[in-house]
Amino acid sequence: MSESIVIIPTYNEKENIENIIRAVFGLEKGFHILIIDDGSPDGTAAIVKKLQQEFPDRLFMVERSGKQGLGTAYICGFKWAIERKYDLIFEMDADFSHNPNDLPRLYAACEQGADVAIGSRYCNGVNVVNWPLGRVLMSYMASVYVRAVTGMQIRDTTAGFVCYRRAVLETIDLDHIHFKGYAFQIEMKFTAYKCGFKLVEVPIIFINRVLGTSKMNSSIFGEALFGVLQLKWWSFWKKYPQKKNN
């Protein structure tokens, strides 16, 4: 079995899903893909099923009923991948805001010693294309705020383009990850950091989606704002399982 799998959550991504799957499978490195579809009414799952006939040993899908949140989609995917003993487990968006050509760079970072490799928009300045200035500032300042509260020296704490070693996801108690939106990404990184894992940022260029509709809204930012304070508060008495040294 391939050691690397890319988890892609979908909700109404019919414009992008075939192209993103073919782009990942077009890479020299033999990644597998797991789609987590939350009952997309636009027929996203049907497109994936058709492609599964072409890629029966590399393309997998879990269908869920209705929108259950980004965080729960990834948790579902993580558990699926852990059960099947994938060594490196990636998360990325379906809309090409994350460039599939950067997957091998995240892979290489983990091969070179990182436990968590983060595709970072902000570790080399601000590398975001086609976002309104207000959204860039909000996202950038959110990461500054998270850094100040948590003490993590990660410049892109809300990044959703990440590679985890399986040991990280096996160590984290996935059933007790609280948040579902933007704060989910922060909570996963903060928990990995508190467990003693090595987090490394890999610079990427983030390009806002061209096709389909963004799922971002103000409530997701609100969850991140207050969620960070909760994470820090909980951390004062929570006992984090620690990384095992091999």
Side-chain angles (χ1 to χ4, degrees):
M1 175 173 281
S2 167
E3 63 175 13
S4 305
I5 191 158
V6 182
I7 301 170
I8 305 177
T10 55
Y11 183 78
N12 286 352
E13 291 290 356
K14 69 176 182 181
E15 297 94 343
N16 295 301
I17 193 60
E18 179 169 355
N19 290 336
I20 196 80
I21 288 169
R22 291 192 182 280
V24 172
F25 286 159
L27 297 169
E28 187 175 333
K29 175 76 186 135
F31 295 100
H32 286 189
I33 295 175
L34 172 63
I35 304 295
I36 310 288
D37 186 71
D38 273 6
S40 299
D42 72 345
T44 298
I47 297 170
V48 176
K49 284 175 184 171
K50 186 175 179 182
L51 288 167
Q52 282 181 304
Q53 296 171 18
E54 188 176 340
F55 305 104
D57 301 320
R58 297 177 68 189
L59 178 58
F60 309 97
M61 180 167 61
V62 173
E63 292 184 82
R64 308 197 305 168
S65 56
K67 292 182 75 174
Q68 299 178 42
L70 182 71
T72 67
Y74 277 129
I75 296 293
C76 172
F78 292 159
K79 289 180 175 181
W80 190 99
I82 289 168
E83 194 175 303
R84 288 156 182 82
K85 302 296 184 184
Y86 284 94
D87 294 320
L88 295 176
I89 300 165
F90 295 75
E91 54 174 59
M92 73 180 292
D93 292 345
D95 61 8
F96 284 93
S97 54
H98 302 141
N99 187 338
N101 291 327
D102 288 326
L103 285 167
R105 296 173 61 233
L106 297 182
Y107 178 95
C110 283
E111 286 287 286
Q112 292 161 15
D115 296 307
V116 182
I118 300 161
S120 176
R121 297 163 289 187
Y122 304 130
C123 66
N124 280 355
V126 177
N127 292 304
V128 177
V129 178
N130 293 338
W131 261 12
L133 180 59
R135 185 167 172 189
V136 174
L137 288 172
M138 188 181 295
S139 175
Y140 182 79
M141 292 310 296
S143 276
V144 171
Y145 164 74
V146 173
R147 225 164 42 243
V149 173
T150 64
M152 280 194 297
Q153 295 306 305
I154 300 296
R155 302 196 75 82
D156 193 355
T157 52
T158 60
F161 193 17
V162 184
C163 176
Y164 293 95
R165 287 184 180 273
R166 184 175 79 238
V168 179
L169 300 177
E170 288 175 331
T171 301
I172 291 172
D173 184 354
L174 296 174
D175 290 327
H176 285 86
I177 295 294
H178 296 82
F179 297 112
K180 295 182 179 180
Y182 243 34
F184 165 79
Q185 299 292 3
I186 302 166
E187 185 175 6
M188 286 295 297
K189 295 177 187 68
F190 182 64
T191 306
Y193 162 75
K194 294 294 284 185
C195 290
F197 289 103
K198 182 180 180 181
L199 282 64
V200 171
E201 291 185 271
V202 176
I204 64 161
I205 296 175
F206 179 96
I207 301 175
N208 195 30
R209 69 160 64 233
V210 175
L211 299 173
T213 305
S214 173
K215 315 303 187 295
M216 184 59 61
N217 58 52
S218 58
S219 69
I220 293 174
F221 273 113
E223 181 194 73
L225 182 69
F226 295 108
V228 173
L229 294 174
Q230 285 181 280
L231 287 175
K232 184 63 176 178
W233 179 249
W234 293 331
S235 73
F236 289 127
W237 60 78
K238 180 176 179 180
K239 186 171 174 58
Y240 293 89
Q242 292 301 295
K243 173 183 178 179
K244 293 182 177 69
N245 293 315
N246 296 327

